[in-house]
Structure formats: C-alpha cells, structure tokens
Amino acid sequence: MAIATSFGTIRGVLFDIDDTLVDLEYAMTTALRDVSEHLLPGLDQAGWVKFGRIFTHETTHFYDRYLAGELTFNEQRLLRGRAALGHFGVELEDGEESQAWVAEYHKRQTAYVRAFNDVEEVLDALDAAGVPYGAVSNNVHDYQRAKLDGAGLERIRILVGTDTVGVAKPDPAIYLEGVRLLGTTPGETLYVGDNRLLDADGATAAGLVGVWLNRVGEEVAGFSGRQVDSLRQLLATAPAAT
C-alpha cells in the first residue's frame, strides 16, 4: 500500500523518537527541576530555563561519548547534571548523592514522557492506508522500547536502536535497517525527525526521503531541504492508490 504525502507517494515511514514522537525535552526539564530544587533553592524561572538548556542542549558532547562507547548511559547523564549544577556553583558529590540523583531523575523523567498530540492521528492515517511504519533511534533498543510503550505508542513495533546494527545516525546502515524491516525501498520511505543534520540530512544521504520536523520554527540560513512544523503536515488528505 501507499500514501500521498507532502513529499510524494510513500510506501513506508520511519520516525525518530526523542522530540519527534515523544516530548523528551519536557520530560527531561521537568524531572531535572524536581530532583534539583533542593540543591538550587530560590533559583528563578530564567535560571531554570538556563539549567535545562545546559542539560538538554549544551552538554550533548557527553551523549556523543556515550554513543562512541566511551561512557555508560548513566555516566553521561551524571556528567550532564554536574555541568548544569556546576554552572550555578553546586557540586554533585561522588557516591550516594550522585547515585541517588541519577536514580531519581530516571524515575521521574520516565514518568513524564508523553507523546506529542499530532502522533496518534498520523499513525491512524498510516494504519488506515496499510502503510508500515517504525522508528530509528540514536539510543539502545530496549531503553527506547520502554519509552515508546510508556508513552502509549506500543503499536510502533518496528524499532531500530544503536545496538541493533552497531552504528548510530548518520551512518546509512541504521536507516537502511529500518527500511529493510519495513519491507520497502529507501526512495519510497519517509524518514522524519527533529534533528536537521542526523534526521533530514542523514536520512537523505542514505537514500531515504528525509524530512526535518522543525517544531519550534528555527531558521537556518541556507537550508533548502524538506521540513514541516508538525507531523500533520506530512500527509495529504487522501491515500494514494496501490
């Protein structure tokens, strides 16, 4: 089966997960405040925004080291937390304090994960058209499986993680494994994600129809690739004939 999209007729769709299907930034920043308020009493709203931005956007080099196998997942998370707290003059000590902070953060972040409100209707449209879909993520399979299930997205059964093929985006192999599992071909498979370089450019370089999900309307000079500001913009009103 096939479906008409804003970018041509498509026979399969692959999604990024974090900040594409699920609002991970909300979950992260809300959990961060919960577990850090006792360490930063009196911090104003602007301070909390800065704190969250350091953790979610300005310390991603630690996550890159995790992807490269240099750090464990909890180690990169702790280093990011220390960097954010350190910006405000707070040191997270080694030992029980740091372990408790990471454990409580994980518990609360997991509880706050939720799907964006445009996800279900797009999946409904794909189901109605008989078009297969799945997810390709720059994290390990089991962790992302639990995240999808916790967000109520159990119906996304096809999932490729970094441990599935031993590489991360933008290596072509990780996108192509998703294509293989869908049973489609790269040129008829849409890939959409919130990271312009890893998702739109990386998938396009692998031969897929890569689309940047630019939810916040970020302006990037010189970017001429495909982009939408909502998943709803991906699909035309009627499915294409088979």
Side-chain angles (χ1 to χ4, degrees):
M1 301 293 286
I3 193 167
T5 76
S6 304
F7 308 104
T9 299
I10 294 298
R11 297 186 181 275
V13 181
L14 292 169
F15 299 93
D16 171 57
I17 296 175
D18 296 332
D19 293 316
T20 297
L21 295 174
V22 303
D23 193 349
L24 183 62
E25 183 156 356
Y26 166 81
M28 292 171 72
T29 55
T30 306
L32 281 170
R33 183 162 183 168
D34 283 355
V35 301
S36 304
E37 281 186 312
H38 69 289
L39 299 171
L40 297 168
L43 188 64
D44 61 16
Q45 182 58 29
W48 285 114
V49 170
K50 177 62 176 177
F51 181 78
R53 182 156 188 86
I54 292 171
F55 189 89
T56 59
H57 294 284
E58 298 178 15
T59 56
T60 53
H61 56 285
F62 290 125
Y63 191 80
D64 292 338
R65 290 179 60 192
Y66 156 67
L67 290 177
E70 299 173 11
L71 298 170
T72 67
F73 188 69
N74 278 341
E75 284 172 343
Q76 64 85 26
R77 182 175 272 175
L78 179 58
L79 287 170
R80 296 171 80 169
R82 282 181 171 152
L85 290 166
H87 179 83
F88 296 94
V90 175
E91 183 178 353
L92 196 60
E93 299 289 342
D94 286 328
E96 291 184 3
E97 182 185 27
S98 61
Q99 292 173 7
W101 187 91
V102 169
E104 186 63 18
Y105 170 77
H106 172 75
K107 176 182 176 181
R108 290 176 180 265
Q109 187 238 70
T110 300
Y112 283 127
V113 168
R114 61 190 185 186
F116 285 102
N117 61 14
D118 56 1
V119 174
E120 293 288 357
E121 64 184 89
V122 171
L123 298 185
D124 286 346
L126 295 174
D127 282 336
V131 172
Y133 52 82
V136 174
S137 172
N138 261 9
N139 208 324
V140 295
H141 177 281
D142 290 354
Y143 181 78
Q144 295 298 72
R145 178 73 268 160
K147 184 182 293 178
L148 288 174
D149 293 350
L153 298 175
E154 299 93 336
R155 61 168 143 170
I156 299 177
R157 299 313 308 163
I158 292 174
L159 171 59
V160 179
T162 53
D163 54 337
T164 305
V165 290
V167 297
K169 296 182 288 187
D171 190 301
I174 195 167
Y175 312 98
L176 296 177
E177 177 63 7
V179 171
R180 185 188 72 81
L181 293 174
L182 291 182
T184 57
T185 64
E188 61 186 6
T189 304
L190 193 73
Y191 187 93
V192 58
D194 70 296
N195 188 303
R196 176 176 56 87
L197 298 176
L198 297 182
D199 297 324
D201 292 348
T204 298
L208 286 74
V209 183
V211 180
W212 179 27
L213 177 58
N214 185 8
R215 290 189 182 275
V216 298
E218 179 185 355
E219 294 186 8
V220 176
F223 178 71
S224 59
R226 309 173 190 91
Q227 67 172 301
V228 294
D229 61 23
S230 167
L231 293 179
R232 296 185 181 97
Q233 293 182 333
L234 292 174
L235 304 183
T237 55
T242 56

